[in-house]
Amino acid sequence: MPNTVVVGAQWGDEGKGKIIDILSKDADYVVRYQGGNNAGHTVVKACGEFVLHLIPSGIFHKRTRCVIGNGVVVDPQALIEEIHKLEDKGISVKGRLFVSERAHLIFPYHRIYDRLREDKKGFIKIGTTGRGIGPSYGDKALRSGIRIVDLYDETTFRHKLEKSLLEKNEIFDKIYHVERFDFDTIYSDYLKFAKIIKPYVCDTAILLNQALKKKKSILFEGAQGTHLDVDHGTYPFVTSSYVTAGGAAVGTGVPPTKLGKIVGVVKAYTTRVGEGPFPTEFDPELMEEIRKKGKEFGATTGRPRRCGWFDAVLVRYSCMVNGIQEIVVTKLDVLDDLKEIKICIGYKTNGKVIRNFPASSVMLKECEPVYETHQGWLSDTSQVKKYSAMPPRSKKYLDRLSKLVKAPITLLSVGSHEDQTLWLSSRK
Ligand code: IMP
């Protein structure tokens, strides 16, 4: 297979885990390039359901090597727990998991800081996952972060941790009036974690570039979604990393010229977790119905997801900034019982209709969606095995989505199991 970047084209939770699992059968390497254990990628296998937070979803295929790239922020405790969980289920990661020595670490003070900032009166509430993602990336940008490579030079690690705590403890004490962190506890815990993860740590940029020379194929696994990207998303209601396809080069050390095909994953409707504008959000009654049918609860935090109609303005913008060449639509079956289905084709603001996604979250909050209404297909699609056998109205709906976002749909998912996946190549 050609190198492929799989990116979420909405606000995350598009069902990328299942799609990566399917595509990674043909990939030599599957690589995470951003985010951390804020992600929750669900993969349903014969032996049970797995929710992966850090380890790439390619781990279920024995021949596939999995890489956590330099652009990821790593909570080593979470990583070790995930390795153990997989091994308990008989999935060995030894010799198949590689972690970048350049990746930045998440420390306990990042997690606490994340939660304190969220709860602080007067600060903007983002609705973060509370995993310390923003504060760790914040330290990276401030050049006060600590990377995995630092753990293997005890003097450097001691020095950096002391400096970091000096500043953090002042903030905890003076601004938040909470207990200071103890240097010795963190220092000794992280040296223990360092020992455990050592067999996996290497220069993953070299590993991947050597693989490219040997003509191996790489699948880049995006976490979150385009509209949570720190630059292209609905700032400030975003995560702190480069979710978009360009992030795959930055976050791995694979040159942009080698990224290959860009595939966007979208849900047949829209969901969002956390705060921030959401023009097509359902009324409470429909929200409840779709949330229940689509099991729309966060895979990491268990929070109920906000649900709404498919927003073509939002996805078209994603297709543009990612260079999406193919679309995968997931969870179409969740719409099976609806008599009418709406698609947002523009926004009304200040008496005008706009068709481009606005940069300002304040403006987006005031936008009213302009809808076109489609008749529902009112039949069960979850057991359909061939695209040609899909109800005609569902095909019409998909054709319209494809036309509006200006990208062809190549794959359709109508349930969490692998056999509930239809290829559309024979669609014409
Ligand atoms: P953070 O990444 O924990 O800092 O959270 C920032 C925003 O991104 C919040 O609105 C989260 O709900 C959202 N977010 C982070 N990770 C995911 C994800 O994997 N799926 C959906 N939303 C996410």
Side-chain angles (χ1 to χ4, degrees):
M1 73 179 275
N3 293 342
T4 305
V5 183
V6 175
V7 67
Q10 292 157 321
W11 276 297
D13 306 318
E14 296 92 351
K16 296 179 293 292
K18 171 184 165 176
I19 305 307
I20 299 277
D21 176 50
I22 290 172
L23 297 180
S24 56
K25 262 187 231 140
D26 300 320
D28 297 303
Y29 288 79
V30 181
V31 193
R32 272 282 303 273
Y33 58 88
Q34 45 70 230
N37 59 324
N38 49 349
H41 292 173
T42 307
V43 181
V44 180
K45 305 299 288 181
C47 52
E49 181 176 301
F50 294 83
V51 182
L52 297 166
H53 300 285
L54 267 170
I55 296 177
S57 307
I59 201 72
F60 302 104
H61 302 286
K62 280 202 178 111
R63 61 171 281 275
T64 308
R65 295 172 141 207
C66 289
V67 177
I68 296 176
N70 56 277
V72 175
V73 283
V74 176
D75 181 331
Q77 197 173 353
L79 176 63
I80 293 164
E81 272 168 26
E82 206 164 306
I83 292 172
H84 287 158
K85 263 194 198 156
L86 284 168
E87 299 208 314
D88 284 349
K89 295 252 177 143
I91 295 152
S92 172
V93 304
K94 289 208 175 81
R96 296 204 297 128
L97 178 67
F98 303 87
V99 182
S100 170
E101 56 189 3
R102 286 186 172 81
H104 279 249
L105 287 158
I106 295 178
F107 285 89
Y109 50 81
H110 289 132
R111 289 193 295 265
I112 298 293
Y113 193 33
D114 197 0
R115 289 168 202 172
L116 289 171
R117 286 192 99 245
E118 283 282 285
D119 294 339
K120 181 95 179 151
K121 240 184 157 175
F123 278 30
I124 294 177
K125 190 172 171 61
I126 308 294
T128 73
T129 59
R131 299 295 189 268
I133 306 295
S136 176
Y137 277 116
D139 274 357
K140 175 176 175 173
L142 277 172
R143 281 123 327 149
S144 53
I146 305 178
R147 304 192 295 173
I148 289 182
V149 67
D150 299 324
L151 295 174
Y152 302 104
D153 171 354
E154 288 190 26
T155 318
T156 304
F157 178 43
R158 171 174 285 279
H159 177 68
K160 288 195 171 186
L161 184 61
E162 272 168 357
K163 274 185 88 175
S164 188
L165 277 180
L166 194 69
E167 191 187 2
K168 304 287 180 315
N169 275 337
E170 283 293 292
I171 295 172
F172 288 135
D173 191 10
K174 305 267 165 58
I175 299 179
Y176 294 101
H177 314 295
V178 295
E179 231 176 278
R180 290 170 166 258
F181 277 88
D182 175 49
F183 171 87
D184 290 333
T185 312
I186 300 181
Y187 185 70
S188 69
D189 282 352
Y190 274 66
L191 287 184
K192 275 186 224 143
F193 297 150
K195 234 187 208 164
I196 301 172
I197 63 170
K198 185 134 203 289
Y200 309 107
V201 174
C202 66
D203 188 324
T204 51
I206 292 180
L207 178 83
L208 292 169
N209 278 281
Q210 280 171 347
L212 286 173
K213 271 199 189 135
K214 291 184 199 147
K215 305 265 178 264
K216 301 282 182 198
S217 61
I218 304 176
L219 187 60
F220 300 89
E221 175 173 2
Q224 289 87 45
T226 300
H227 290 272
L228 289 174
D229 182 282
V230 69
D231 268 51
H232 297 288
T234 45
Y235 192 88
F237 304 100
V238 292
T239 190
S240 306
S241 61
Y242 298 112
V243 174
T244 36
V250 179
T252 60
V254 170
T257 47
K258 297 280 177 13
L259 293 183
K261 192 164 71 171
I262 316 286
V263 174
V265 185
V266 297
K267 233 176 238 183
Y269 48 102
T270 312
T271 61
R272 157 160 227 180
V273 202
E275 307 298 318
F278 184 172
T280 65
E281 193 163 9
F282 290 142
D283 61 46
E285 205 180 311
L286 190 53
M287 175 92 76
E288 197 53 38
E289 186 185 330
I290 296 296
R291 185 181 285 151
K292 209 166 147 201
K293 177 131 201 234
K295 299 193 183 83
E296 295 296 356
F297 295 89
T300 299
T301 58
R303 289 179 293 175
R305 295 179 186 140
R306 299 157 66 192
C307 308
W309 297 117
F310 187 89
D311 187 339
V313 183
L314 179 104
V315 175
R316 194 164 53 232
Y317 187 82
S318 298
C319 288
M320 179 184 78
V321 295
N322 288 297
I324 287 173
Q325 293 152 307
E326 292 178 14
I327 293 266
V328 176
V329 178
T330 62
K331 294 185 118 171
L332 186 80
D333 56 301
V334 176
L335 305 180
D336 282 351
D337 303 326
L338 299 182
K339 274 198 202 118
E340 282 189 340
I341 299 172
K342 292 183 183 178
I343 304 175
C344 170
I345 54 166
Y347 300 139
K348 210 181 217 176
T349 177
N350 291 328
K352 273 197 294 193
V353 173
I354 56 166
R355 291 187 196 274
N356 283 325
F357 197 78
S360 157
S361 280
V362 178
M363 183 174 170
L364 185 62
K365 195 161 182 260
E366 276 148 25
C367 281
E368 245 183 75
V370 177
Y371 289 120
E372 60 178 35
T373 304
H374 293 249
Q375 278 186 303
W377 42 94
L378 298 174
S379 67
D380 180 11
T381 57
S382 68
Q383 301 310 316
V384 176
K385 299 292 172 233
K386 263 183 165 168
Y387 186 75
S388 55
M390 285 289 286
R393 281 185 192 148
S394 71
K395 289 200 257 185
K396 212 173 144 207
Y397 177 71
L398 292 170
D399 278 343
R400 185 65 183 141
L401 296 194
S402 170
K403 200 163 172 212
L404 285 166
V405 305
K406 300 189 169 112
I409 298 170
T410 51
L411 197 61
L412 174 65
S413 170
V414 288
S416 54
H417 288 265
E418 199 181 327
D419 65 359
Q420 293 174 298
T421 317
L422 317 176
W423 289 94
L424 271 72
S425 33
S426 55
R427 179 177 154 211
K428 291 274 149 65

